[in-house]
Amino acid sequence: MTAALHSFPSASRSFHSLRRRCPLAPSGYYRAPSRRFLATKKTELPLAMSGDASSSAPLQGQAAKDGGDRAGSVKQQLSRLFKASLSATVPDEPNIEPLVEVCTAKFGDYQCNNAMGLWSRIKGKSTEFKNPNSVGQAIARNLPPSDIIESTSVAGPGFVNIVLSDKWVAQSIQQMLLSGIGTWAPILSVPKAVVDFSSPNIAKEMHVGHLRSTIIGDTLARMLEFSNVEVLRRNHVGDWGTQFGMLIEHLFDKFPNWEEAGEQAIGDLQEFYKASKRRFDDDSTFMEKAQKAVVRLQGGEARYRDAWKKICEISRKEFDLVYQCLGVHLEEKGESFYNPYIPGVLEELSNKGLIEESDGARVIFIEGHQIPLIVVKRDGGYNYASTDLAALWYRLNIEKANWIIYVTDVGQSQHFDMFFSAARRAGWLPDSNGNLYPKASHVGFGLVLGSDGKRFRTRSSEVVRLVELLDEAKSRSKTELQKRLKENGKIAEWTDEELEKTAEAIGYGAVKYADLKNNRLTNYTFSFDQMLNDKGNTAVYLLYAHARICSIIRKSGRDVEELKKTGNIVLGEPDERILGLHLIKFAEVVEEACTNLLPNILCEYLYNLSEKFTGFYSRCPVVGSAEETSRLLLCEATAVVMRKCFYLLGITPVYKI
């Protein structure tokens, strides 16, 4: 794929192609009831507006306590054992948190690394311990009895190495197969989170720049939801601002009877926007009319409100087609929703002494930044900062969120740094960025680049529309799939519907995975050739690997559901144990990806799982072997975990190739 997309279909054809592809898909997002057009009316805020938001504390977790049948990740289960051991080893040193990590050496599977830190705290206080190693020996000795641990050893300055019991690992996998992979969901300490992502601008078509926010945000939401966090998926669309003045006046000028013409009056919304922008830039009279139109709109004048609603409605239909095909669900609460709350929020900040007058504007000065955060412009209008402050207040006080996550490009990092600093000064967020809640996080991401290393654009230097990109991904995927099936003589076994659905799953999945497998902070080069390659770390390779596992199970002729109840997993060979160990690390991988807001951690786990399964299958015969039952169950467990990984990444699995 080069930066020149001369092979892409026209925008209108892509739009209708998407409509044909997803006619029965559920609505991609819905809109919350909103109090719009109240910009001139001050909204009364609850008396406890700042009290709730400023009560900062670690969340020991309804989420953590209400784990249900979940035991937590292996790391969490080991940590509980070492917590008890540390209390027994150093009873006079309270609140010691276990430091349990995966062991990178060959001495064990996991490792507890508390001994050196403890020694520095207790040295000179007790004669019982002579050095860090003796502390480590005591920690290992004081571990409660457990079926989890096969053996321990102490190395160097007190590192306690743990070898897990093969029997326990096998039983854990088998229990997951019986009870469902939900029992392997991590236990997080946060009950409710807002994930603010996608957020396109009304009257502008979604382009490749929205791709990363949409799929990264969706994956973060899916992982948190799987971890039993209540997630509010928010689409903070740009549906309020000065651009609507020029759009509405352009509509009135060109189509005086626009109510009767309906959507046909506007036609291609992208071109309509460009035409109104040209008039706004070139015609001072039109600019003045557009500015007055904004005032009338914000004042709630019916004619302007109706035109605004129509423009928003047309935009949403186009957004919704993209969301349907990506399988992304959002609740829209755009800028207009929070507009009524701005006056009251700014009054509170002003009463706290945060807002000052500067050069005709009202601003908040932020330590470490040369420029202030402008919250009211010179002309008295509001901006992104004032809207974001109102939205944060609403999310903390009305929606009672503990963690608010914003998914935007890294170019907005300074804005969020200043915005969060203002919230901390107001007492809404704790001063510490550690384990105190509520907290706010900016999930920044880099650019999508073309093969020339520049921002990804078409040959005519236009941004790439998402409808075109998805259309091309599916088309190429279908061509490759048909070629593959013809070559192996299986094309006659496939129906047209199967071809369509599989091409869609692979094409859209390839686009998503190519993005998500990268650390989100880095730029990445968009290449259809690379992402649709069936070799290497690609969605195509992983989807085919899953389909192959399903084929192995089918060809065995065994009833896997019955095997789950009657069979047993035995990890007798090294490759069986390697695969089993990797499977049971699933929960802590999801936990790490959630905690660090890095989907690529899950992608790395998924790719490594596929590689470890390949090693297992190449050296451990399955069908017809004496260990067939056990190994079929390992195949099934691998497929179950892969499918959950696909789901968390927003990718639809395929079952045959």
Side-chain angles (χ1 to χ4, degrees), residues 386-409:
S386 43
T387 303
D388 282 343
L389 285 165
L392 178 61
W393 177 88
Y394 184 90
R395 290 162 177 177
L396 291 171
N397 291 279
I398 305 301
E399 295 179 323
K400 304 293 184 184
N402 311 103
W403 194 5
I404 300 95
I405 299 164
Y406 299 82
V407 187
T408 76
D409 64 276

PDB file of all heavy atoms in Angstrom, residues 386-409:
ATOM      1  N   SER A 386     -12.884  24.777  28.246  1.00  0.00           N
ATOM      2  CA  SER A 386     -14.082  24.970  29.068  1.00  0.00           C
ATOM      3  C   SER A 386     -15.024  23.777  28.927  1.00  0.00           C
ATOM      4  O   SER A 386     -15.616  23.318  29.916  1.00  0.00           O
ATOM      5  CB  SER A 386     -14.784  26.282  28.699  1.00  0.00           C
ATOM      6  OG  SER A 386     -14.853  26.479  27.307  1.00  0.00           O
ATOM      7  N   THR A 387     -15.148  23.245  27.717  1.00  0.00           N
ATOM      8  CA  THR A 387     -16.002  22.060  27.508  1.00  0.00           C
ATOM      9  C   THR A 387     -15.425  20.843  28.222  1.00  0.00           C
ATOM     10  O   THR A 387     -16.146  20.082  28.866  1.00  0.00           O
ATOM     11  CB  THR A 387     -16.144  21.757  26.004  1.00  0.00           C
ATOM     12  OG1 THR A 387     -16.676  22.900  25.337  1.00  0.00           O
ATOM     13  CG2 THR A 387     -17.064  20.575  25.774  1.00  0.00           C
ATOM     14  N   ASP A 388     -14.109  20.656  28.120  1.00  0.00           N
ATOM     15  CA  ASP A 388     -13.478  19.500  28.759  1.00  0.00           C
ATOM     16  C   ASP A 388     -13.592  19.563  30.279  1.00  0.00           C
ATOM     17  O   ASP A 388     -13.770  18.541  30.947  1.00  0.00           O
ATOM     18  CB  ASP A 388     -12.005  19.400  28.342  1.00  0.00           C
ATOM     19  CG  ASP A 388     -11.840  18.820  26.948  1.00  0.00           C
ATOM     20  OD1 ASP A 388     -12.802  18.214  26.448  1.00  0.00           O
ATOM     21  OD2 ASP A 388     -10.756  18.975  26.356  1.00  0.00           O
ATOM     22  N   LEU A 389     -13.471  20.756  30.850  1.00  0.00           N
ATOM     23  CA  LEU A 389     -13.617  20.895  32.299  1.00  0.00           C
ATOM     24  C   LEU A 389     -15.047  20.560  32.728  1.00  0.00           C
ATOM     25  O   LEU A 389     -15.254  19.870  33.733  1.00  0.00           O
ATOM     26  CB  LEU A 389     -13.246  22.312  32.735  1.00  0.00           C
ATOM     27  CG  LEU A 389     -11.746  22.628  32.740  1.00  0.00           C
ATOM     28  CD1 LEU A 389     -11.513  24.134  32.829  1.00  0.00           C
ATOM     29  CD2 LEU A 389     -11.045  21.914  33.901  1.00  0.00           C
ATOM     30  N   ALA A 390     -16.026  21.028  31.956  1.00  0.00           N
ATOM     31  CA  ALA A 390     -17.422  20.715  32.275  1.00  0.00           C
ATOM     32  C   ALA A 390     -17.680  19.216  32.137  1.00  0.00           C
ATOM     33  O   ALA A 390     -18.393  18.618  32.963  1.00  0.00           O
ATOM     34  CB  ALA A 390     -18.353  21.507  31.367  1.00  0.00           C
ATOM     35  N   ALA A 391     -17.108  18.597  31.094  1.00  0.00           N
ATOM     36  CA  ALA A 391     -17.290  17.160  30.885  1.00  0.00           C
ATOM     37  C   ALA A 391     -16.664  16.359  32.021  1.00  0.00           C
ATOM     38  O   ALA A 391     -17.244  15.380  32.506  1.00  0.00           O
ATOM     39  CB  ALA A 391     -16.695  16.737  29.546  1.00  0.00           C
ATOM     40  N   LEU A 392     -15.479  16.769  32.458  1.00  0.00           N
ATOM     41  CA  LEU A 392     -14.817  16.060  33.555  1.00  0.00           C
ATOM     42  C   LEU A 392     -15.633  16.194  34.837  1.00  0.00           C
ATOM     43  O   LEU A 392     -15.823  15.213  35.567  1.00  0.00           O
ATOM     44  CB  LEU A 392     -13.405  16.608  33.763  1.00  0.00           C
ATOM     45  CG  LEU A 392     -12.620  15.971  34.915  1.00  0.00           C
ATOM     46  CD1 LEU A 392     -12.433  14.476  34.687  1.00  0.00           C
ATOM     47  CD2 LEU A 392     -11.267  16.660  35.098  1.00  0.00           C
ATOM     48  N   TRP A 393     -16.108  17.410  35.102  1.00  0.00           N
ATOM     49  CA  TRP A 393     -16.942  17.602  36.290  1.00  0.00           C
ATOM     50  C   TRP A 393     -18.158  16.673  36.236  1.00  0.00           C
ATOM     51  O   TRP A 393     -18.501  16.012  37.220  1.00  0.00           O
ATOM     52  CB  TRP A 393     -17.403  19.065  36.380  1.00  0.00           C
ATOM     53  CG  TRP A 393     -18.314  19.266  37.541  1.00  0.00           C
ATOM     54  CD1 TRP A 393     -17.979  19.575  38.823  1.00  0.00           C
ATOM     55  CD2 TRP A 393     -19.743  19.095  37.535  1.00  0.00           C
ATOM     56  NE1 TRP A 393     -19.103  19.621  39.615  1.00  0.00           N
ATOM     57  CE2 TRP A 393     -20.200  19.318  38.855  1.00  0.00           C
ATOM     58  CE3 TRP A 393     -20.673  18.773  36.545  1.00  0.00           C
ATOM     59  CZ2 TRP A 393     -21.546  19.239  39.206  1.00  0.00           C
ATOM     60  CZ3 TRP A 393     -22.017  18.675  36.896  1.00  0.00           C
ATOM     61  CH2 TRP A 393     -22.444  18.921  38.216  1.00  0.00           C
ATOM     62  N   TYR A 394     -18.811  16.619  35.091  1.00  0.00           N
ATOM     63  CA  TYR A 394     -20.008  15.786  34.924  1.00  0.00           C
ATOM     64  C   TYR A 394     -19.671  14.310  35.148  1.00  0.00           C
ATOM     65  O   TYR A 394     -20.423  13.584  35.816  1.00  0.00           O
ATOM     66  CB  TYR A 394     -20.573  15.996  33.519  1.00  0.00           C
ATOM     67  CG  TYR A 394     -21.864  15.266  33.256  1.00  0.00           C
ATOM     68  CD1 TYR A 394     -23.090  15.871  33.512  1.00  0.00           C
ATOM     69  CD2 TYR A 394     -21.863  13.972  32.738  1.00  0.00           C
ATOM     70  CE1 TYR A 394     -24.285  15.202  33.268  1.00  0.00           C
ATOM     71  CE2 TYR A 394     -23.041  13.295  32.500  1.00  0.00           C
ATOM     72  CZ  TYR A 394     -24.253  13.918  32.769  1.00  0.00           C
ATOM     73  OH  TYR A 394     -25.423  13.240  32.532  1.00  0.00           O
ATOM     74  N   ARG A 395     -18.566  13.860  34.601  1.00  0.00           N
ATOM     75  CA  ARG A 395     -18.189  12.454  34.699  1.00  0.00           C
ATOM     76  C   ARG A 395     -17.831  12.063  36.127  1.00  0.00           C
ATOM     77  O   ARG A 395     -18.082  10.933  36.557  1.00  0.00           O
ATOM     78  CB  ARG A 395     -17.027  12.167  33.743  1.00  0.00           C
ATOM     79  CG  ARG A 395     -17.467  12.224  32.282  1.00  0.00           C
ATOM     80  CD  ARG A 395     -16.328  12.381  31.310  1.00  0.00           C
ATOM     81  NE  ARG A 395     -16.835  12.343  29.929  1.00  0.00           N
ATOM     82  CZ  ARG A 395     -16.083  12.513  28.851  1.00  0.00           C
ATOM     83  NH1 ARG A 395     -14.776  12.749  28.984  1.00  0.00           N
ATOM     84  NH2 ARG A 395     -16.631  12.455  27.646  1.00  0.00           N
ATOM     85  N   LEU A 396     -17.253  12.991  36.865  1.00  0.00           N
ATOM     86  CA  LEU A 396     -16.894  12.704  38.247  1.00  0.00           C
ATOM     87  C   LEU A 396     -18.091  12.784  39.185  1.00  0.00           C
ATOM     88  O   LEU A 396     -18.251  11.943  40.070  1.00  0.00           O
ATOM     89  CB  LEU A 396     -15.810  13.687  38.723  1.00  0.00           C
ATOM     90  CG  LEU A 396     -14.421  13.540  38.094  1.00  0.00           C
ATOM     91  CD1 LEU A 396     -13.541  14.718  38.494  1.00  0.00           C
ATOM     92  CD2 LEU A 396     -13.766  12.223  38.505  1.00  0.00           C
ATOM     93  N   ASN A 397     -18.941  13.777  39.006  1.00  0.00           N
ATOM     94  CA  ASN A 397     -19.996  14.056  39.967  1.00  0.00           C
ATOM     95  C   ASN A 397     -21.351  13.465  39.614  1.00  0.00           C
ATOM     96  O   ASN A 397     -22.103  13.077  40.503  1.00  0.00           O
ATOM     97  CB  ASN A 397     -20.145  15.569  40.145  1.00  0.00           C
ATOM     98  CG  ASN A 397     -18.946  16.169  40.852  1.00  0.00           C
ATOM     99  OD1 ASN A 397     -18.859  16.112  42.070  1.00  0.00           O
ATOM    100  ND2 ASN A 397     -18.013  16.714  40.094  1.00  0.00           N
ATOM    101  N   ILE A 398     -21.688  13.409  38.342  1.00  0.00           N
ATOM    102  CA  ILE A 398     -22.981  12.871  37.933  1.00  0.00           C
ATOM    103  C   ILE A 398     -22.862  11.387  37.582  1.00  0.00           C
ATOM    104  O   ILE A 398     -23.645  10.560  38.046  1.00  0.00           O
ATOM    105  CB  ILE A 398     -23.556  13.650  36.728  1.00  0.00           C
ATOM    106  CG1 ILE A 398     -23.630  15.147  37.058  1.00  0.00           C
ATOM    107  CG2 ILE A 398     -24.930  13.107  36.348  1.00  0.00           C
ATOM    108  CD1 ILE A 398     -24.482  15.492  38.257  1.00  0.00           C
ATOM    109  N   GLU A 399     -21.867  11.055  36.778  1.00  0.00           N
ATOM    110  CA  GLU A 399     -21.699   9.658  36.367  1.00  0.00           C
ATOM    111  C   GLU A 399     -20.876   8.852  37.361  1.00  0.00           C
ATOM    112  O   GLU A 399     -20.816   7.623  37.261  1.00  0.00           O
ATOM    113  CB  GLU A 399     -21.070   9.599  34.970  1.00  0.00           C
ATOM    114  CG  GLU A 399     -21.990  10.188  33.919  1.00  0.00           C
ATOM    115  CD  GLU A 399     -21.412  10.182  32.523  1.00  0.00           C
ATOM    116  OE1 GLU A 399     -20.193  10.407  32.372  1.00  0.00           O
ATOM    117  OE2 GLU A 399     -22.175   9.964  31.564  1.00  0.00           O
ATOM    118  N   LYS A 400     -20.240   9.531  38.305  1.00  0.00           N
ATOM    119  CA  LYS A 400     -19.504   8.870  39.392  1.00  0.00           C
ATOM    120  C   LYS A 400     -18.427   7.919  38.873  1.00  0.00           C
ATOM    121  O   LYS A 400     -18.239   6.811  39.386  1.00  0.00           O
ATOM    122  CB  LYS A 400     -20.464   8.094  40.309  1.00  0.00           C
ATOM    123  CG  LYS A 400     -21.588   8.929  40.894  1.00  0.00           C
ATOM    124  CD  LYS A 400     -21.079   9.961  41.867  1.00  0.00           C
ATOM    125  CE  LYS A 400     -22.223  10.732  42.526  1.00  0.00           C
ATOM    126  NZ  LYS A 400     -21.738  11.801  43.411  1.00  0.00           N
ATOM    127  N   ALA A 401     -17.724   8.340  37.841  1.00  0.00           N
ATOM    128  CA  ALA A 401     -16.646   7.508  37.286  1.00  0.00           C
ATOM    129  C   ALA A 401     -15.403   7.623  38.161  1.00  0.00           C
ATOM    130  O   ALA A 401     -15.099   8.689  38.702  1.00  0.00           O
ATOM    131  CB  ALA A 401     -16.334   7.936  35.862  1.00  0.00           C
ATOM    132  N   ASN A 402     -14.679   6.519  38.276  1.00  0.00           N
ATOM    133  CA  ASN A 402     -13.430   6.510  39.041  1.00  0.00           C
ATOM    134  C   ASN A 402     -12.209   6.733  38.163  1.00  0.00           C
ATOM    135  O   ASN A 402     -11.169   7.178  38.637  1.00  0.00           O
ATOM    136  CB  ASN A 402     -13.273   5.168  39.760  1.00  0.00           C
ATOM    137  CG  ASN A 402     -14.524   4.763  40.504  1.00  0.00           C
ATOM    138  OD1 ASN A 402     -15.270   3.907  40.031  1.00  0.00           O
ATOM    139  ND2 ASN A 402     -14.793   5.390  41.642  1.00  0.00           N
ATOM    140  N   TRP A 403     -12.354   6.369  36.889  1.00  0.00           N
ATOM    141  CA  TRP A 403     -11.219   6.495  35.960  1.00  0.00           C
ATOM    142  C   TRP A 403     -11.757   7.034  34.651  1.00  0.00           C
ATOM    143  O   TRP A 403     -12.652   6.438  34.041  1.00  0.00           O
ATOM    144  CB  TRP A 403     -10.572   5.128  35.760  1.00  0.00           C
ATOM    145  CG  TRP A 403      -9.222   5.145  35.109  1.00  0.00           C
ATOM    146  CD1 TRP A 403      -8.463   6.226  34.753  1.00  0.00           C
ATOM    147  CD2 TRP A 403      -8.444   3.995  34.723  1.00  0.00           C
ATOM    148  NE1 TRP A 403      -7.277   5.842  34.193  1.00  0.00           N
ATOM    149  CE2 TRP A 403      -7.237   4.481  34.158  1.00  0.00           C
ATOM    150  CE3 TRP A 403      -8.659   2.625  34.800  1.00  0.00           C
ATOM    151  CZ2 TRP A 403      -6.245   3.614  33.676  1.00  0.00           C
ATOM    152  CZ3 TRP A 403      -7.671   1.767  34.323  1.00  0.00           C
ATOM    153  CH2 TRP A 403      -6.471   2.264  33.777  1.00  0.00           C
ATOM    154  N   ILE A 404     -11.239   8.177  34.217  1.00  0.00           N
ATOM    155  CA  ILE A 404     -11.662   8.783  32.959  1.00  0.00           C
ATOM    156  C   ILE A 404     -10.492   8.714  31.994  1.00  0.00           C
ATOM    157  O   ILE A 404      -9.407   9.237  32.266  1.00  0.00           O
ATOM    158  CB  ILE A 404     -12.132  10.242  33.146  1.00  0.00           C
ATOM    159  CG1 ILE A 404     -13.325  10.303  34.101  1.00  0.00           C
ATOM    160  CG2 ILE A 404     -12.547  10.839  31.811  1.00  0.00           C
ATOM    161  CD1 ILE A 404     -12.953  10.591  35.523  1.00  0.00           C
ATOM    162  N   ILE A 405     -10.710   8.050  30.860  1.00  0.00           N
ATOM    163  CA  ILE A 405      -9.650   7.751  29.898  1.00  0.00           C
ATOM    164  C   ILE A 405      -9.967   8.460  28.588  1.00  0.00           C
ATOM    165  O   ILE A 405     -11.044   8.270  28.014  1.00  0.00           O
ATOM    166  CB  ILE A 405      -9.537   6.233  29.680  1.00  0.00           C
ATOM    167  CG1 ILE A 405      -9.188   5.523  31.003  1.00  0.00           C
ATOM    168  CG2 ILE A 405      -8.506   5.896  28.598  1.00  0.00           C
ATOM    169  CD1 ILE A 405      -9.433   4.021  30.976  1.00  0.00           C
ATOM    170  N   TYR A 406      -9.037   9.277  28.108  1.00  0.00           N
ATOM    171  CA  TYR A 406      -9.211  10.028  26.867  1.00  0.00           C
ATOM    172  C   TYR A 406      -8.268   9.468  25.811  1.00  0.00           C
ATOM    173  O   TYR A 406      -7.052   9.425  26.025  1.00  0.00           O
ATOM    174  CB  TYR A 406      -8.876  11.508  27.083  1.00  0.00           C
ATOM    175  CG  TYR A 406      -9.733  12.216  28.111  1.00  0.00           C
ATOM    176  CD1 TYR A 406      -9.451  12.119  29.473  1.00  0.00           C
ATOM    177  CD2 TYR A 406     -10.819  12.990  27.720  1.00  0.00           C
ATOM    178  CE1 TYR A 406     -10.228  12.776  30.422  1.00  0.00           C
ATOM    179  CE2 TYR A 406     -11.602  13.658  28.656  1.00  0.00           C
ATOM    180  CZ  TYR A 406     -11.301  13.546  30.002  1.00  0.00           C
ATOM    181  OH  TYR A 406     -12.072  14.202  30.933  1.00  0.00           O
ATOM    182  N   VAL A 407      -8.814   9.055  24.677  1.00  0.00           N
ATOM    183  CA  VAL A 407      -8.003   8.449  23.613  1.00  0.00           C
ATOM    184  C   VAL A 407      -7.922   9.423  22.442  1.00  0.00           C
ATOM    185  O   VAL A 407      -8.854   9.551  21.646  1.00  0.00           O
ATOM    186  CB  VAL A 407      -8.609   7.107  23.151  1.00  0.00           C
ATOM    187  CG1 VAL A 407      -7.669   6.406  22.165  1.00  0.00           C
ATOM    188  CG2 VAL A 407      -8.893   6.202  24.348  1.00  0.00           C
ATOM    189  N   THR A 408      -6.806  10.151  22.359  1.00  0.00           N
ATOM    190  CA  THR A 408      -6.579  11.105  21.266  1.00  0.00           C
ATOM    191  C   THR A 408      -5.122  11.036  20.843  1.00  0.00           C
ATOM    192  O   THR A 408      -4.308  10.379  21.498  1.00  0.00           O
ATOM    193  CB  THR A 408      -6.897  12.559  21.678  1.00  0.00           C
ATOM    194  OG1 THR A 408      -5.835  13.061  22.512  1.00  0.00           O
ATOM    195  CG2 THR A 408      -8.214  12.671  22.433  1.00  0.00           C
ATOM    196  N   ASP A 409      -4.774  11.752  19.779  1.00  0.00           N
ATOM    197  CA  ASP A 409      -3.395  11.712  19.292  1.00  0.00           C
ATOM    198  C   ASP A 409      -2.447  12.422  20.263  1.00  0.00           C
ATOM    199  O   ASP A 409      -2.866  13.255  21.078  1.00  0.00           O
ATOM    200  CB  ASP A 409      -3.298  12.346  17.901  1.00  0.00           C
ATOM    201  CG  ASP A 409      -3.638  13.829  17.932  1.00  0.00           C
ATOM    202  OD1 ASP A 409      -4.835  14.169  17.875  1.00  0.00           O
ATOM    203  OD2 ASP A 409      -2.707  14.639  18.026  1.00  0.00           O
TER     204      ASP A 409
END
